[in-house]
């Protein structure tokens, strides 16, 4: 089964036209003065003004360009790690349910990883375009997250800033919030607003 409209890699080039994927938060970042770079077919916000000072407390980065795959049958139990976590290019994996696993990977390996996981598990859907990803990083990342959600242990799925269906993954430097793309712009705005009293704000992916 394939839903090609969810996979940016399926966008067709025609003549001089070369499609470039954009995050659901890209408009907000442009308004904040972001510098963008094209990477693996995505327009990626690599730097924003004053980001070093912001990251000293909590920075909010947009990682929506990462590949996102939904694997059926890979989980060992809801919320646990999965066998997909050991595959090359995998950055994070989260068992949403006993038989549904969300895998985040490096953009360039999304297609190859999907084929590899499909051989192992039988059903893999590229849902890259269905989700945006906000990263919270810095010493105040935990404080910011507590201002956004009542979820208290991670990884977890639930309501974040009144948005349902957000997957929160704990990372070495903070957290990744995987949000339905149609609500990514809203969640970005709320997260930045809540970060400002802490001295934080938006940062690029290269910090």
């Amino acid at each position: 089964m394939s839903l090609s409209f969810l996979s940016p890699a399926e966008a067709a080039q025609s003549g001089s036209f070369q499609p470039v994927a954009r995050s659901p938060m890209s408009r907000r970042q442009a308004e904040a003065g972001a510098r963008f770079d094209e990477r693996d077919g995505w327009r990626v916000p690599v730097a924003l003004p004053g980001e070093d000072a912001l990251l000293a407390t909590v920075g909010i980065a947009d990682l929506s360009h990462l590949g996102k795959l939904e694997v059926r049958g890979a989980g060992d139990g809801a919320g646990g790690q999965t066998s997909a976590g050991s595959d090359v290019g995998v950055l994070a994996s989260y068992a949403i349910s006993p038989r549904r696993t969300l895998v985040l990977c490096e953009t360039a390996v999304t297609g190859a990883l999907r084929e590899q996981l499909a051989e192992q598990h039988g059903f893999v859907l590229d849902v890259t375009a269905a989700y945006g990803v906000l990263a919270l990083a810095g010493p105040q990342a935990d404080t910011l997250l507590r201002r956004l959600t009542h979820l208290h242990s991670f990884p977890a799925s639930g309501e974040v800033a009144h948005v349902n269906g957000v997957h929160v993954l704990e990372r070495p430097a903070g957290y990744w919030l995987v949000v339905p793309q149609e609500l990514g712009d809203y969640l970005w705005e709320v997260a930045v607003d809540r970060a400002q009293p802490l001295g934080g704000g938006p940062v690029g992916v290269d910090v």
Side-chain angles (χ1 to χ4, degrees), residues 33-173:
R35 176 171 62 84
F36 292 90
D37 190 15
E38 185 178 330
R39 298 181 180 179
D40 296 312
W42 281 82
R43 188 171 184 251
V44 179
V46 297
L48 281 98
E51 58 188 13
D52 290 338
L54 298 173
L55 197 60
T57 55
V58 57
I60 304 169
D62 180 7
L63 302 183
S64 298
H65 62 285
L66 297 179
K68 309 166 198 76
L69 302 171
E70 183 176 313
V71 183
R72 297 290 176 92
D76 297 322
Q81 289 301 111
T82 74
S83 59
S86 62
D87 290 294
V88 175
V90 171
L91 301 175
S93 63
Y94 167 52
I96 301 170
S97 74
R99 296 191 58 80
R100 282 183 64 209
T101 299
L102 179 66
V103 176
L104 280 76
C105 63
E106 298 170 359
T107 313
V109 306
T110 305
L113 182 61
R114 176 186 174 187
E115 294 181 4
Q116 178 183 338
L117 292 174
E119 291 180 0
Q120 298 171 1
H121 304 290
F123 182 94
V124 180
L125 186 62
D126 186 341
V127 293
T128 298
Y131 292 102
V133 181
L134 279 70
L136 311 182
Q140 294 293 325
D142 188 74
T143 300
L144 175 58
L145 183 62
R146 304 301 171 180
R147 295 184 177 188
L148 295 171
T149 183
H150 293 297
L151 297 173
H152 59 275
S153 61
F154 308 101
S157 300
E159 182 181 295
V160 178
H162 304 294
V163 176
N164 290 311
V166 179
H167 307 305
V168 183
L169 312 182
E170 193 167 15
R171 305 296 297 161

